[in-house]
Amino acid sequence: MNCDIGFDTWYYQDSDWENCKAVDCTESMLAQNDNTTRMLSMNKCSKSPTGYLEDVVIQNIPKNNSFSPLLSLKKLVLPN
């Protein structure tokens, strides 16, 4: 596998996605609702929204998005 998630719909608003493709992914599309939260972990190289090195929880705010069916492809490996 080359990736865990091919397309992550997190935080998108007013978006129309057509002809999306994911190649060699464990999960082709991750579409989470507006009740979903994620934790961002900070270190000295991070651009923290608060300016402090602390974990920050953000909430997903998707709205008015449409996604055509995602085409999930497996990479063709040819023998040598």
Side-chain angles (χ1 to χ4, degrees), residues 4-69:
D4 291 326
I5 298 172
F7 185 75
D8 188 352
T9 65
W10 183 267
Y11 229 72
Y12 283 115
Q13 295 182 358
D14 302 317
S15 298
D16 294 320
W17 297 89
E18 298 177 0
N19 302 319
C20 298
K21 295 177 181 75
V23 179
D24 279 347
C25 296
T26 305
E27 187 168 345
S28 296
M29 178 183 282
L30 178 62
Q32 296 174 308
N33 64 33
D34 60 356
N35 295 321
T36 307
T37 60
R38 291 186 183 179
M39 180 177 289
L40 303 178
S41 297
M42 303 295 155
N43 63 31
K44 292 179 182 179
C45 297
S46 300
K47 293 183 179 180
S48 169
T50 62
Y52 298 103
L53 298 180
E54 60 186 25
D55 292 340
V56 176
V57 176
I58 59 173
Q59 184 168 356
N60 197 11
I61 55 169
K63 69 176 187 181
N64 303 324
N65 296 310
S66 67
F67 304 94
S68 66

